[in-house]
Amino acid sequence: MNLVWVVSILIICIPGSTEGASRPAVVNVGAMCTVGTINGRVSKIAIEAAVNDVNSDPTILGGTKLSITFHDSNFSGFLGIIGALKFMESDTVAIIGPQTAVMAHILSHLANELHVPLLSFTALDPTLSSLQYPYFVQTAPNDLFQMAAIADMVSYFGWTEVAAIFTDDDSGRNGVAALGDKLAEKGLKICYKAALPPDPKATRDDVKNQLVMIQMMESRVIVLHTFAKSGLVVFDVALELGMMESGYVWIATAWLSTVLDSASPLSSKTANSIQGALTLRPHTPVSERKRAFISRWNKLSNGSIGLNPYGLYAYDTVWMLAHAINLLLDQGGTISFSNITSLGGPKGGGTVNLGALSIFHGGKQLLDNILQTNMTGLTGPIAFHPDRSPLNPAYDLINIIENGYQRIGYWSNYSRISVVPPETSSNRSTLNQHLHTVVWPGGTTVKPRGWVFPNNGKQLRIGVPNRVSYRDFVSRRNGTDIVEGYCIDIFLSAIKLLPYAVPYEFVLFGDGLKNPSYYEFVNMIASGKFDAAVGDIAIVTNRTKIVDFTQPYIESGLVVVAPVRRLNSRAWAFLKPFSALMWGVTAAFFLIIGLVMWILEHRINDEFRGPPRKQIVTILWFSFSTMFFAHRENTVSTLGRMVLIIWLFIVLIINSSYTASLTSMLTVQQLESPITGIDTLVTSTEPIGYQIGSFAQNYLVEELNIPRSRLVPLGSPEAYADALKKRTVAAVVDEKAYIELFLSENCMFSIRGQEFTKSGWGFAFPRDSPLTIDMSNAILTLSENGDLQKIHDKWLSRKTCAQTSDLISDQLQLQSFWGLFLICGIACLIALFIHFLLALRQFSRHSPEAEDQTEPSSHSRRTSRSARLHTFLSFIDEKADESKNNNKTKRKRKEMNDGIKWEGEL
């Protein structure tokens, strides 16, 4: 049978509400609060004051009066529903409230059906979505912004985890969920959630049970999101349990600031229990209207309670509603309702009389006017974003101290944490965040670490690999449970640098017969069987996915090791240092230098003159004697000296390089294996050895795609040496730290190529463990003060072989020296060019002029040029002094011939 709804509608119009008629005399508005709470009492006074102020100003509603009716839900959801239904019977256009999110979730469904807007400044659950509850409007910043402010504070102080205590209702659960989301955005988290019965039902035993659980946790940062009555009980019990002492951090949501503002003066017991706590207060900028209202407050409240920001929001909510109603009437809207007389039940099985409930016809228009609000109230500018969030949410950050409290800064949705009020700050950057000094629980101004080791009576279980090889890194002393080694000493030195004591015990992992699997070892931390792991643990990708590592304390990438042998000296070994081309170019330059020096010195240096045979011998002797700096001939010319200096410098470098290379070739070990590095190893088909338990196996298979059938597990350095000698494996791949220790005792092997992975060793801790950061800082301190190197020298220093790495002495090639030869060649060319320029100048100045000839024939011109060239070569071959004398003689003979000729003509 179909569901049948029978609805009879009666149109009820308030007189004067039709279009074109006068405004209604009265508009009914409901207000729901719990008068037994601080916010309930404050908001009731503020709403009454706002209604009086609106009604006393004829310009607001044009003569129409607001009629406000209050309903006290008295902490009861049932009474809250009854009150809301009563409002719906009395033609109420809007309801200010409810006070709690629990009631807001229920009544919003009713408001959706009857089109009556709900305006709440205290039900700030962030899940009260405008999509699901379009007629519910939050007129104060919801808890999402408050939780964002707390997350920013936690991040600012460098804490990573918090414990959350909350009231187990919609507001508490959803607020803490929002906190978890905001913390996660910053890489932080809630480590424990402690739920309390809904306010005010939480007893001291309920609170104590949860606080004892928190005492057993690591985190000492506690976020308290509840209401005033339960919250004060939490602080009172925390004081009894010693949780308000140094080391603890308490961050309370805005409920605590309302207690400070409205319930003062506090009892001495309450004041002592909250000292050092941090809390938030909705920020309202200073204005003349706000000052005037604050000055009126004592009269309005008769001094019974102090004003808090939610009282200001209550006041502004009334004015917001008044402006929206006025705009509705100005737009020609009507204050009219439709009564629902009856509702047919399912299958006709009865009816529910809803005749008294009314649908507000102007509800949608009134809601739109509310959301379009743009005014300035006691709380500052009032407007809504499209998602209905307030325009500029901000909070004061409050620190409770002895005899009061202090503001340590501000938080806003734009500049985040700052010491400058949001309305005066032009800085929108989140980089330079700053707060004033905080007085923490216990009266200290030193920032608490924010965590301790779990107080469960147990020491930290530190896993240590029970190695059977490379025991210098970590091992158990024979016959005892004492562990020692390089890694252990670093851990002990680092833990001594921590500013707090760390209770721990070492627990061996492995059967002692073979090296344990380090992947399983690390998994023991993730599974909770170990609280940390200390040893030669490589930091690799698959391990960082399940644990956190400290700063590496030693670098140790993968390398390739292959066999080596000594070169047998041969008869012609002395030729090996240089390549053939290098030998040829060097010999050529020796001859070139000899020739250049002969040219530069021949005319002025007797040692470079004589018969041709003697001069050739001189050139050859001078050239090759410079190899040993044994040349006897003096150098006279400036150009010759310049060339000789450059050449001797080059000879010095060539001699030194030759000597070093020859020495290396005669003494350095060479590879017996064709493996030159990881590339040749991958392309070959030879078997490859690796250390049992090392990550090398997974890397070779998964990253380099080497078949598992090629891999041979080896358990000790002795197994390495035996497999390489017997050629069971072509090479061994292992971490460099192990290999350096292996090579210090095995000179028959050598590292081939470079490290083909870059990694290091670190200590492993559970994810997000605060010990990780502190231990990393301690390792850096050890590195900076030199202790890390001292520990290395203590355990790992060995007398190394002459050859422990990839040091094949290759022949020296020409490309290593071509720059030197180029410099020498250029110097020679420049010297020769200058030398010939000077020679030509001297020749032209001192050579005799040719006899005058009248119209010489072409044959005579050719003969003249040949003679002149022959004369020039003769000039070059002559010694400089002789050429000058010969030129003078020729010049005198010419002058005498010219004189005789002249006399004969006369």
Side-chain angles (χ1 to χ4, degrees):
M1 181 177 179
N2 295 331
L3 180 67
V4 179
W5 296 79
V6 180
V7 181
S8 61
I9 300 176
L10 174 64
I11 305 298
I12 300 178
C13 298
I14 295 179
S17 63
T18 59
E19 187 175 356
S22 60
R23 289 172 173 250
V26 176
V27 176
N28 293 329
V29 176
M32 301 179 64
C33 59
T34 300
V35 181
T37 64
I38 292 175
N39 283 338
R41 293 165 60 193
V42 170
S43 61
K44 184 175 186 298
I45 298 171
I47 290 171
E48 289 175 339
V51 170
N52 291 334
D53 291 346
V54 168
N55 289 337
S56 63
D57 188 347
T59 64
I60 303 301
L61 288 173
T64 299
K65 302 294 184 181
L66 288 181
S67 176
I68 190 77
T69 302
F70 286 93
H71 174 77
D72 181 8
S73 60
N74 194 26
F75 299 102
S76 171
F78 176 75
L79 291 179
I81 295 174
I82 296 299
L85 292 174
K86 287 183 178 180
F87 287 141
M88 303 304 180
E89 295 175 0
S90 59
D91 300 336
T92 300
V93 300
I95 297 175
I96 299 176
Q99 185 173 326
T100 65
V102 175
M103 291 307 305
H105 279 277
I106 297 173
L107 298 182
S108 290
H109 292 286
L110 187 61
N112 290 347
E113 297 298 328
L114 301 180
H115 298 177
V116 177
L118 301 177
L119 293 84
S120 179
F121 46 86
T122 53
L124 303 178
D125 181 351
T127 65
L128 286 165
S129 165
S130 60
L131 297 177
Q132 184 179 8
Y133 308 115
Y135 281 85
F136 181 80
V137 180
Q138 293 171 327
T139 59
N142 69 41
D143 287 342
L144 184 66
F145 300 102
Q146 185 172 203
M147 297 308 170
I150 293 175
D152 281 340
M153 280 198 292
V154 173
S155 176
Y156 171 81
F157 288 112
W159 302 312
T160 58
E161 294 182 353
V162 303
I165 304 175
F166 62 97
T167 299
D168 194 11
D169 58 13
D170 290 345
S171 178
R173 287 190 299 270
N174 296 330
V176 169
L179 174 62
D181 292 341
K182 291 300 180 180
L183 289 172
E185 291 176 3
K186 300 179 178 299
L188 316 175
K189 70 175 184 178
I190 299 175
C191 65
Y192 181 72
K193 297 179 181 179
L196 299 177
D199 195 71
K201 298 179 181 179
T203 65
R204 295 181 66 87
D205 288 339
D206 295 329
V207 172
K208 186 174 183 179
N209 291 336
Q210 292 296 344
L211 291 183
V212 169
M213 291 294 296
I214 291 176
Q215 277 187 314
M216 307 286 285
M217 305 279 173
E218 285 188 0
S219 179
R220 286 295 181 262
V221 182
I222 303 169
V223 176
L224 182 56
H225 180 51
T226 180
F227 298 99
K229 289 189 176 181
S230 297
L232 292 178
V233 172
V234 170
F235 277 116
D236 189 28
V237 176
L239 182 64
E240 291 181 2
L241 295 176
M243 298 177 68
M244 297 305 298
E245 298 175 355
S246 297
Y248 283 89
V249 177
W250 287 84
I251 304 176
T253 50
W255 67 266
L256 183 54
S257 66
T258 64
V259 172
L260 297 175
D261 292 332
S262 301
S264 296
L266 300 174
S267 67
S268 59
K269 182 180 180 181
T270 300
N272 289 335
S273 68
I274 61 176
Q275 281 188 29
L278 302 178
T279 186
L280 295 86
R281 174 197 287 144
H283 177 74
T284 55
V286 177
S287 66
E288 290 300 325
R289 287 189 62 195
K290 178 180 174 181
R291 289 194 186 96
F293 186 77
I294 292 174
S295 65
R296 294 171 52 196
W297 183 257
N298 281 337
K299 182 178 180 181
L300 293 172
S301 64
N302 295 321
S304 61
I305 194 169
L307 177 64
N308 64 52
Y310 293 104
L312 303 178
Y313 281 111
Y315 185 90
D316 284 349
T317 300
V318 174
W319 278 84
M320 184 190 311
L321 180 59
H323 283 294
I325 293 172
N326 183 60
L327 181 58
L328 172 68
L329 298 176
D330 288 343
Q331 293 169 341
T334 59
I335 308 297
S336 60
F337 299 82
S338 300
N339 283 357
I340 301 178
T341 57
S342 62
L343 182 65
K347 299 183 179 181
T351 61
V352 178
N353 184 14
L354 298 177
L357 300 182
S358 303
I359 298 176
F360 177 31
H361 289 172
K364 180 64 169 65
Q365 190 173 2
L366 179 60
L367 175 66
D368 292 340
N369 293 344
I370 292 171
L371 297 177
Q372 294 171 9
T373 298
N374 188 2
M375 57 176 276
T376 300
L378 300 183
T379 58
I382 301 173
F384 294 95
H385 288 294
D387 62 354
R388 296 194 183 183
S389 62
L391 194 61
N392 295 309
Y395 291 90
D396 298 341
L397 306 182
I398 305 299
N399 176 212
I400 302 172
I401 58 176
E402 188 176 4
N403 301 323
Y405 61 86
Q406 61 175 351
R407 183 189 292 111
I408 59 172
Y410 304 88
W411 179 92
S412 72
N413 202 31
Y414 297 101
S415 58
R416 301 296 179 179
I417 290 176
S418 174
V419 294
V420 181
E423 65 272 12
T424 62
S425 174
S426 59
N427 180 23
R428 298 297 186 185
S429 172
T430 60
L431 298 178
N432 298 319
Q433 298 186 355
H434 182 64
L435 290 176
H436 294 303
T437 302
V438 178
V439 179
W440 303 100
T444 179
T445 57
V446 178
K447 185 197 77 172
R449 189 170 72 246
W451 67 275
V452 295
F453 295 101
N455 186 19
N456 52 19
K458 297 181 180 179
Q459 296 177 318
L460 290 182
R461 290 173 55 84
I462 308 295
V464 176
N466 191 7
R467 294 192 59 90
V468 296
S469 62
Y470 297 114
R471 296 172 61 84
D472 291 315
F473 292 109
V474 57
S475 64
R476 179 174 64 174
R477 189 180 299 173
N478 292 333
T480 68
D481 291 330
I482 299 175
V483 291
E484 59 185 2
Y486 170 71
C487 303
I488 300 300
D489 277 8
I490 290 179
F491 176 79
L492 296 177
S493 299
I495 213 165
K496 290 178 182 177
L497 296 177
L498 300 183
Y500 46 86
V502 180
Y504 64 88
E505 61 175 339
F506 290 125
V507 180
L508 290 169
F509 176 75
D511 56 13
L513 302 177
K514 64 180 184 301
N515 292 334
S517 167
Y518 277 66
Y519 185 75
E520 295 178 4
F521 184 34
V522 172
N523 269 327
M524 297 288 281
I525 302 173
S527 63
K529 294 181 180 179
F530 288 146
D531 299 309
V534 172
D536 46 340
I537 309 170
I539 304 172
V540 293
T541 304
N542 63 346
R543 296 173 186 173
T544 58
K545 293 178 181 178
I546 57 177
V547 297
D548 285 344
F549 282 94
T550 62
Q551 170 82 13
Y553 56 84
I554 187 174
E555 294 183 358
S556 184
L558 291 178
V559 293
V560 177
V561 176
V564 296
R565 61 180 172 81
R566 286 190 178 275
L567 278 179
N568 295 324
S569 299
R570 298 178 182 177
W572 299 98
F574 67 92
L575 295 177
K576 292 295 184 180
F578 288 167
S579 64
L581 181 60
M582 179 66 183
W583 278 117
V585 172
T586 303
F589 261 86
F590 272 107
L591 295 175
I592 290 170
I593 291 300
L595 182 60
V596 169
M597 291 300 299
W598 178 82
I599 293 173
L600 298 177
E601 296 289 325
H602 178 67
R603 297 190 67 239
I604 60 176
N605 192 339
D606 290 335
E607 295 184 0
F608 287 85
R609 299 185 63 80
R613 179 179 296 178
K614 177 184 177 183
Q615 294 186 45
I616 292 173
V617 172
T618 299
I619 291 173
L620 296 176
W621 167 255
F622 182 84
S623 298
F624 292 102
S625 63
T626 56
M627 181 187 303
F628 311 103
F629 307 97
H631 51 285
R632 297 176 299 176
E633 294 78 8
N634 292 325
T635 305
V636 177
S637 67
T638 302
L639 293 175
R641 291 175 177 176
M642 178 192 73
V643 171
L644 185 60
I645 289 174
I646 295 174
W647 174 244
L648 291 178
F649 173 71
I650 294 173
V651 169
L652 175 64
I653 295 176
I654 292 175
N655 281 344
S656 301
S657 301
Y658 175 85
T659 303
S661 181
L662 181 60
T663 302
S664 176
M665 283 189 167
L666 294 176
T667 58
V668 172
Q669 295 173 342
Q670 300 296 303
L671 279 180
E672 189 176 17
S673 169
I675 303 300
T676 60
I678 188 61
D679 294 332
T680 56
L681 186 61
V682 171
T683 56
S684 72
T685 59
E686 300 291 331
I688 304 170
Y690 69 92
Q691 182 184 180
I692 296 175
S694 170
F695 76 95
Q697 178 187 16
N698 288 338
Y699 185 87
L700 294 173
V701 173
E702 297 174 5
E703 300 296 331
L704 302 182
N705 298 318
I706 296 176
R708 290 184 182 272
S709 58
R710 290 182 56 193
L711 303 183
V712 179
L714 302 171
S716 66
E718 293 76 14
Y720 286 11
D722 187 61
L724 289 170
K725 289 176 183 178
K726 294 180 178 180
R727 299 183 180 274
T728 306
V729 296
V732 171
V733 174
D734 205 349
E735 296 175 60
K736 187 177 180 180
Y738 298 129
I739 295 302
E740 288 179 342
L741 200 60
F742 168 72
L743 293 178
S744 67
E745 300 174 355
N746 295 272
C747 297
M748 298 177 63
F749 312 100
S750 174
I751 295 175
R752 294 303 295 140
Q754 303 296 321
E755 290 182 66
F756 56 93
T757 65
K758 294 294 183 182
S759 63
W761 292 352
F763 303 136
F765 292 91
R767 297 300 297 270
D768 302 320
S769 171
L771 257 179
T772 308
I773 297 176
D774 291 348
M775 286 295 287
S776 293
N777 292 332
I779 290 172
L780 288 175
T781 302
L782 291 175
S783 177
E784 292 169 359
N785 62 23
D787 288 345
L788 206 60
Q789 185 61 42
K790 293 177 182 177
I791 298 173
H792 180 278
D793 295 341
K794 172 185 174 182
W795 288 97
L796 305 181
S797 290
R798 298 287 190 277
K799 292 183 179 180
T800 59
C801 300
Q803 178 67 24
T804 59
S805 62
D806 180 19
L807 291 174
I808 290 183
S809 299
D810 296 324
Q811 289 181 324
L812 297 175
Q813 304 294 326
L814 177 62
Q815 54 263 34
S816 302
F817 299 92
W818 73 267
L820 294 174
F821 288 128
L822 179 64
I823 294 172
C824 183
I826 292 174
C828 291
L829 290 176
I830 292 174
L832 290 175
F833 180 73
I834 295 173
H835 175 74
F836 281 112
L837 282 181
L838 294 175
L840 284 172
R841 181 171 175 270
Q842 293 174 2
F843 176 74
S844 62
R845 178 180 300 176
H846 300 291
S847 63
E849 298 178 359
E851 294 181 357
D852 295 337
Q853 296 181 0
T854 304
E855 297 182 359
S857 65
S858 59
H859 176 70
S860 63
R861 284 196 298 270
R862 286 194 299 270
T863 304
S864 176
R865 282 196 296 270
S866 299
R868 190 170 180 81
L869 177 60
H870 182 269
T871 303
F872 176 71
L873 293 177
S874 298
F875 173 79
I876 290 296
D877 185 54
E878 293 177 351
K879 192 173 181 181
D881 294 340
E882 294 177 359
S883 63
K884 290 180 181 179
N885 294 333
N886 291 337
N887 288 336
K888 290 179 181 180
T889 303
K890 292 177 180 179
R891 191 179 297 111
K892 289 181 180 180
R893 187 182 300 115
K894 183 177 182 299
E895 290 175 357
M896 291 176 61
N897 292 336
D898 290 342
I900 295 172
K901 183 179 179 182
W902 181 72
E903 289 177 357
E905 289 178 353
L906 289 177

